[in-house]
């Protein structure tokens, strides 16, 4: 049956016929507002399509499936599993999970495929699926385009042989894998902030197992998210983490998003350290242990991965790549990089440190290990040791999914034309415009401003960094925003300077 693109709730058709908004198929996962943009029969059609894609690609018909902790995620997962079973797939249900637990289950259960029902860091009202066939990778644009065509063209094919199996104990195995035999040798008090999201069922236990004293911050599971949406890239959560550090006198704070694949950091002085700077701190430490390593950074990240003298001294190589967890995982694997870092708080720690997928809890453990290797230093010492730059938070002005890529194309053309014409930007010459993912306008002193399209939500994304001053950072943003405002369909920012 061909899915409908719209369907009125509280009708016979809404309970019977699949409805799927095409915009939910994004670059590297699927996300919809539920039930506005997809209904349960639509989720079942998605499962049938994913199972059909597995058969078409010659993937053994076995898949591990998990769900995050939201009041509607179990219903979504059940509808997805029904479609997978219809497609002749053996479903291994691992129960409620953070996304990296689902990725881990592919290794632990030797499962050829994974599907994680999650709205990720999006607020309640959203749902989606992160999926992959080749561990530790997840679907990228090619796989998503193929899946989109199968589902929207009604090409999902029922087969016999489908089965359901609940697999217990994966959570415990995942935590054992995170902890290993490591125990802290220095005393640490760490604020554990989960925003009442899924990571609350994991993070406090992991910290206690490695010998860290936990200062809990919203660690009771509550899918209404009574305090704030768990998103460590949002200043609201970071400010709350900072206040808890200041109030408790903790050594630092670690915060996790709604599905536990991202980690945010606040130091002992209550200073919020954006994740790309944390990545540089980690890269410095890892490059001492593994000199000559390659580190991948997304285009939203600080320029320090390429310019930091300490990384250069240890032979580290920097590679700037497309934003997005699937893009970054694939690039880390292609290059044989030791790690990848995203400003959003996704970290991709590859062998021998991790398994190559993004795991906020793995990052938390590795940060604790880093502090254990540096017993005389505070987190604020590590922050101050970095060359100073001034960076904006990630800012997202509204732009409809149906329009944002066309809008971005025109913005990129405008910025490239400015560079070719020799125009200044924030009072400086433009050195180059990198267009691997949107437009990163790099000035002659290494400062930069970026605009790209969000792959997850109806937004553009803007980040700016100055190597010189806060005033220059603000000037870069002002000039970037002036270009953006030439597009009337771009709306307000979610947060700004």
């Amino acid at each position: 049956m061909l899915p409908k693109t719209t369907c009125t709730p509280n009708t016979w058709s809404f309970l019977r016929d699949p409805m799927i908004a095409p915009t939910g198929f994004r670059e590297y996962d699927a996300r919809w507002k539920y039930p506005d943009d997809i209904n349960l029969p639509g989720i079942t059609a998605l499962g049938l399509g994913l199972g059909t894609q597995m058969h078409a690609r010659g993937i053994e018909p076995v898949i591990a499936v998990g769900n995050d902790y939201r009041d509607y995620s179990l219903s979504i997962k059940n509808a997805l599993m029904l479609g997978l079973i219809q497609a002749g797939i053996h479903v291994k249900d691992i129960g409620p999970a953070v996304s990296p637990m689902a990725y881990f289950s592919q290794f632990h259960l030797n499962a050829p495929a994974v599907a994680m029902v999650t709205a990720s860091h999006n607020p309640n009202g959203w749902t989606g699926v992160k999926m992959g066939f080749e561990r530790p990778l997840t679907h990228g644009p090619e796989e998503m385009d193929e899946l989109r065509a199968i589902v929207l063209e009604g090409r999902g094919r029922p087969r016999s042989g489908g089965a359901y199996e609940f697999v217990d104990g994966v959570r415990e195995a995942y935590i054992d894998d995170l902890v290993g035999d490591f125990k802290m040798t220095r005393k640490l008090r760490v604020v554990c902030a989960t925003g009442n999201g899924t990571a609350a069922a994991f993070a406090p236990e992991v910290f206690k197992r490695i010998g860290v004293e936990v200062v809990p911050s919203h660690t009771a599971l509550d899918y209404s998210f009574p305090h704030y949406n768990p998103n460590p890239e949002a200043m609201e959560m970071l400010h709350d983490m900072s206040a808890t550090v200041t109030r408790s006198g903790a050594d630092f704070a670690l915060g996790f998003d709604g599905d536990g694949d991202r980690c945010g950091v606040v130091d002992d002085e209550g200073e919020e350290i954006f994740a790309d700077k944390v990545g540089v701190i980690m890269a410095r430490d890892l490059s001492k242990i593994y000199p000559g390593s390659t580190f991948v950074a997304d285009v939203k990240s600080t320029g320090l991965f390429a310019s930091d003298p300490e990384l250069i001294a240890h032979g580290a190589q920097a590679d700037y790549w497309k934003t997005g967890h699937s893009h970054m995982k694939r690039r880390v694997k292609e290059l044989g990089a030791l790690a990848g870092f995203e400003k959003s708080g996704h970290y991709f720690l590859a062998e021998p440190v991790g398994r190559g997928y993004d795991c906020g809890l793995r990052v938390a453990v590795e940060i604790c290990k880093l502090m254990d290797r540096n017993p005389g230093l505070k987190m604020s010492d590590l922050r101050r040791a970095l060359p100073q730059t001034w960076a904006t938070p990630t800012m997202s002005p509204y732009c409809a999914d149906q329009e944002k890529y066309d809008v971005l194309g025109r913005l990129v053309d405008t910025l490239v034309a400015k560079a070719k014409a020799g125009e200044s930007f924030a009072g400086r010459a433009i050195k180059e415009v990198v267009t691997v993912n949107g437009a990163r306008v790099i000035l002659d002193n290494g400062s930069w401003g970026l605009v790209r399209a969000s792959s997850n939500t109806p937004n553009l994304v803007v980040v700016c960094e100055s190597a010189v001053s806060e005033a220059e950072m603000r000037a870069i943003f002002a000039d970037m925003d002036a270009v953006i405002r030439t597009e009337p369909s771009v709306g307000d920012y979610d947060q700004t300077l």
Side-chain angles (χ1 to χ4, degrees), residues 45-67:
L46 176 67
L48 179 62
L50 180 60
T52 300
Q53 185 183 33
M54 288 176 64
H55 286 294
R57 286 182 167 247
I59 308 295
E60 182 187 354
V62 179
I63 190 168
V65 182
N67 63 279

Side-chain angles (χ1 to χ4, degrees), residues 173-486:
Y174 168 61
I175 291 176
D176 287 345
D177 186 69
L178 288 169
V179 172
D181 58 2
F182 174 68
K183 277 284 188 182
M184 296 292 301
T185 60
R186 70 179 282 189
K187 185 177 179 180
L188 278 183
R189 294 183 74 234
V190 176
V191 172
C192 173
T194 65
N196 305 105
T198 320
F202 298 85
E205 181 177 341
V206 169
F207 285 136
K208 290 172 186 174
R209 287 268 301 271
I210 65 175
V212 168
E213 182 183 345
V214 175
V215 179
S217 176
H218 311 313
T219 55
L221 286 166
D222 185 341
Y223 44 52
S224 71
F225 303 152
H227 302 285
Y228 50 73
N229 180 52
N231 177 4
E233 193 177 18
M235 299 309 294
E236 182 181 20
M237 183 171 185
L238 289 171
H239 288 341
D240 186 67
M241 290 163 59
S242 175
T244 307
V245 168
T246 302
R247 186 169 60 249
S248 66
D251 292 294
F252 52 90
L254 297 173
F256 307 93
D257 70 336
D259 69 329
D261 58 8
R262 301 198 295 166
C263 182
V265 180
V266 172
D267 72 17
D268 50 287
E269 296 179 349
E271 187 78 15
E272 297 139 357
I273 313 177
F274 292 144
D276 54 345
K277 295 289 184 68
V278 176
V280 177
I281 291 170
M282 294 184 72
R284 280 182 158 198
D285 181 69
L286 291 170
S287 67
K288 295 174 187 174
I289 304 169
Y290 308 102
S293 296
T294 296
F295 298 103
V296 180
D298 80 317
V299 294
K300 294 193 298 181
S301 289
T302 177
L304 289 177
F305 287 102
S307 64
D308 177 54
E310 188 162 331
L311 288 178
I312 293 170
H314 289 101
Q317 301 293 315
D319 178 81
Y320 285 88
W321 195 240
K322 299 174 183 178
T323 292
H325 66 90
S326 287
H327 293 309
M328 291 289 291
K329 276 183 278 235
R330 196 170 299 272
R331 188 67 169 175
V332 167
K333 184 174 182 179
E334 285 176 355
L335 297 183
L338 181 60
F341 304 101
E342 270 194 297
K343 187 178 174 68
S344 63
H346 289 269
Y347 302 75
F348 311 85
L349 303 175
E351 296 287 353
V353 182
R355 298 176 185 269
Y357 52 76
D358 39 338
C359 178
L361 292 160
R362 168 58 64 195
V363 172
V365 170
E366 295 306 319
I367 287 175
C368 292
K369 289 180 180 179
L370 182 158
M371 299 304 293
D372 207 52
R373 288 192 288 268
N374 296 274
L377 296 177
K378 300 176 182 178
M379 184 65 77
S380 58
D381 296 326
L382 298 173
R383 168 178 56 82
R384 283 197 193 89
L386 298 179
Q388 188 170 8
T389 67
W390 291 261
T392 68
T394 300
M395 301 173 289
S396 300
Y398 177 81
C399 192
D401 281 324
Q402 300 90 329
E403 300 178 33
K404 65 187 180 185
Y405 290 106
D406 290 338
V407 167
L408 179 66
R410 292 191 293 270
L411 294 175
V412 170
D413 289 344
T414 298
L415 292 166
V416 169
K418 280 181 173 291
K420 287 181 178 178
E423 295 183 31
S424 63
F425 204 85
R428 301 198 70 94
I430 299 173
K431 179 183 176 183
E432 64 176 322
V433 179
V434 176
T435 58
V436 68
N437 190 200
R440 180 165 167 144
V441 180
I442 302 175
L443 308 185
D444 59 1
N445 64 348
S447 302
W448 55 273
L450 169 79
V451 60
R452 58 178 292 273
S454 170
S455 301
N456 303 319
T457 56
N459 297 102
L460 300 179
V461 175
V462 179
V463 182
C464 305
E465 180 184 54
S466 170
V468 176
S469 66
E470 180 181 347
E472 184 184 73
M473 177 262 287
R474 289 179 176 275
I476 294 169
F477 172 62
D479 279 9
M480 182 64 78
D481 187 57
V483 173
I484 291 169
R485 292 300 149 195
T486 63

Side-chain angles (χ1 to χ4, degrees), residues 29-32 43 65-70 72-74 76-77 80 97-100 102-103 115-123 126-131 198 225 257-261 325:
D29 53 35
R31 306 222 186 151
W32 291 272
I43 294 289
V65 182
N67 63 279
D68 66 10
Y69 190 84
R70 299 187 190 237
Y72 48 87
S73 288
L74 180 57
I76 300 290
K77 183 178 72 173
L80 182 78
V98 285
S99 288
Y103 303 149
M116 174 67 189
V117 171
T118 178
S120 191
H121 63 279
N122 287 19
W126 285 85
T127 191
V129 184
K130 295 178 178 179
M131 60 209 102
T198 320
F225 303 152
D257 70 336
D259 69 329
D261 58 8
H325 66 90

Side-chain angles (χ1 to χ4, degrees), residues 1-4 18-20 25 32 38 41-53 144-156:
M1 178 185 295
L2 280 173
K4 300 178 178 180
M19 183 269 287
I20 306 174
F25 292 93
W32 291 272
I38 194 165
I43 294 289
T44 297
L46 176 67
L48 179 62
L50 180 60
T52 300
Q53 185 183 33
M144 287 306 301
D145 285 348
E146 181 180 80
L147 177 62
R148 181 182 189 274
I150 291 171
V151 174
L152 296 184
E153 294 169 12
R155 293 195 278 115

